[in-house]
Amino acid sequence: MFLIGCHLSMANGFVQMGKDALSIGANVFQFFSRNPRGGKAKPIDPKDVEQFLEMCDEHQFGPLLAHAPYTLNGCSADPKIREFATATMRDDLERMEHTPGNLYNFHPGSHVGQGIEAGIEMIVKMLNEIMFSDQRTTVLLETMAGKGSEVGSRFEELRQIIDGVTLAEKLGVCLDTCHVNDAGYDVVNDLDGVLAEFDKVIGLSRLKAIHLNDSMNPLGARKDRHAVIGGGHLGVEALARVINHPLLRALPFYLETPNELPGYGKEIKLLKEFRKE
Ligand code: FE
Ligand code: FE
Ligand code: ZN
């Protein structure tokens, strides 16, 4: 089954996201666990969740992907900012237990001049503080573009984080096609090579989700500006190879392109045309 969807607004709850997804032919979706700038989370409405879980059974949705606020930084030089990231993500992981068995993606962080090694150490420490043994959510590290002092633009950095985490069996990776391009991994001309590298360094069994985005910038630009499918340096053919690749095709694909609902609907339709049986 082709698991394809996009980023949706959770402002009106899970059932509304489910309806939005169905209205554009999506069977997976991503949403911010709370305000992307890291405000207070909306309380979970048990009725909404219950109704949504029924909807999932009926329509065979793939995994839900909650995205942590992108402003959190677990490896800031400021301990208050690190504590805020830790507390917010801990709360998110507890909330995720209302919808067990899904995915929680976060940006590892920016080391802000402290160095990659120091950054990785802080991220590991945070994960070891917030992950719990009966947690049913898989936490995903997102591959980053390498903008500024971002940690996680090299597969080796993600490997090092995984190696430090006690409950590593609950950790995975979300590969963002725009970000890896910007980080210098050539998914356009050498997708096989990039996946071989991923497998060698991290292990493909860790790969749980794909953020399917085109990029406004060329290979290695370290920028992180998403483009609509076919509107950037990756192009529709390269992205079609991604969704059809034997090592990737069973994964859920989430669009994070600059779009509203109708635009996402068009992209999903286009990608379904490119998807081989
Ligand atoms: Fe992200
Ligand atoms: Fe992403
Ligand atoms: Zn991005």
Side-chain angles (χ1 to χ4, degrees):
M1 189 170 35
F2 184 24
L3 296 174
I4 179 73
C6 62
H7 187 94
L8 295 175
S9 164
M10 63 99 77
N12 296 309
F14 283 100
V15 169
Q16 187 57 50
M17 287 194 287
K19 286 180 182 164
D20 286 347
L22 291 171
S23 77
I24 55 169
N27 50 10
V28 290
F29 58 86
Q30 172 180 270
F31 57 97
F32 284 124
S33 58
R34 60 185 68 215
N35 184 302
R37 274 169 285 280
K40 205 170 171 309
K42 234 182 116 199
I44 298 264
D45 171 359
K47 268 223 181 75
D48 178 48
V49 170
E50 192 188 324
Q51 215 187 320
F52 173 69
L53 292 176
E54 282 167 22
M55 219 171 155
C56 284
D57 284 342
E58 191 188 339
H59 296 282
Q60 302 205 312
F61 280 108
L64 285 179
L65 179 51
H67 194 306
Y70 47 75
T71 46
L72 299 180
N73 189 7
C75 59
S76 167
D78 180 343
K80 283 210 185 67
I81 294 176
R82 295 202 299 272
E83 277 157 31
F84 180 70
T86 307
T88 303
M89 285 181 51
R90 178 184 290 129
D91 184 51
D92 278 352
L93 284 182
E94 278 161 15
R95 290 155 53 85
M96 290 291 291
E97 291 297 313
H98 290 280
T99 49
N102 287 299
L103 307 169
Y104 180 72
N105 174 71
F106 79 108
H107 296 179
S110 294
H111 66 70
V112 290
Q114 304 174 96
I116 285 277
E117 294 299 324
I120 288 172
E121 214 172 287
M122 290 175 186
I123 295 159
V124 165
K125 181 169 174 281
M126 174 177 73
L127 288 171
N128 283 332
E129 282 171 22
I130 63 174
M131 292 173 71
F132 46 99
S133 57
D134 53 355
Q135 167 191 318
R136 287 167 291 178
T137 302
T138 301
V139 175
L140 304 185
L141 307 165
E142 182 165 355
T143 61
M144 299 311 294
K147 186 174 46 142
S149 63
E150 272 173 356
V151 178
S153 67
R154 303 290 315 161
F155 296 159
E156 286 80 0
E157 296 165 15
L158 300 178
R159 173 79 252 173
Q160 253 184 281
I161 296 171
I162 294 165
D163 283 341
V165 171
T166 313
L167 296 171
E169 73 276 10
K170 298 176 198 297
L171 264 189
V173 172
C174 172
L175 184 144
D176 185 309
T177 54
C178 166
H179 295 179
V180 290
N181 169 78
D182 288 20
Y185 293 100
D186 192 353
V187 290
V188 176
N189 299 298
D190 189 21
L191 180 59
D192 284 336
V194 173
L195 295 178
E197 179 74 7
F198 188 101
D199 194 34
K200 190 183 82 181
V201 177
I202 300 175
L204 277 168
S205 62
R206 295 274 180 193
L207 185 54
K208 302 295 184 195
I210 305 282
H211 281 166
L212 195 70
N213 301 310
D214 212 323
S215 174
M216 302 240 222
N217 291 289
L219 180 68
R222 302 178 74 93
K223 282 282 207 287
D224 190 2
R225 298 276 313 279
H226 301 191
V228 295
I229 300 301
H233 285 259
L234 270 58
V236 71
E237 278 82 16
L239 291 164
R241 286 194 291 276
V242 170
I243 59 171
N244 286 305
H245 197 286
L247 295 172
L248 304 177
R249 53 181 292 119
L251 293 170
F253 297 92
Y254 304 84
L255 296 162
E256 301 176 304
T257 49
N259 265 320
E260 303 290 333
L261 211 48
Y264 279 134
K266 281 190 196 135
E267 286 187 326
I268 289 168
K269 188 164 174 281
L270 175 77
L271 289 161
K272 283 180 176 173
E273 284 164 18
F274 276 96
R275 171 82 168 194
K276 297 191 186 93
E277 271 322 302

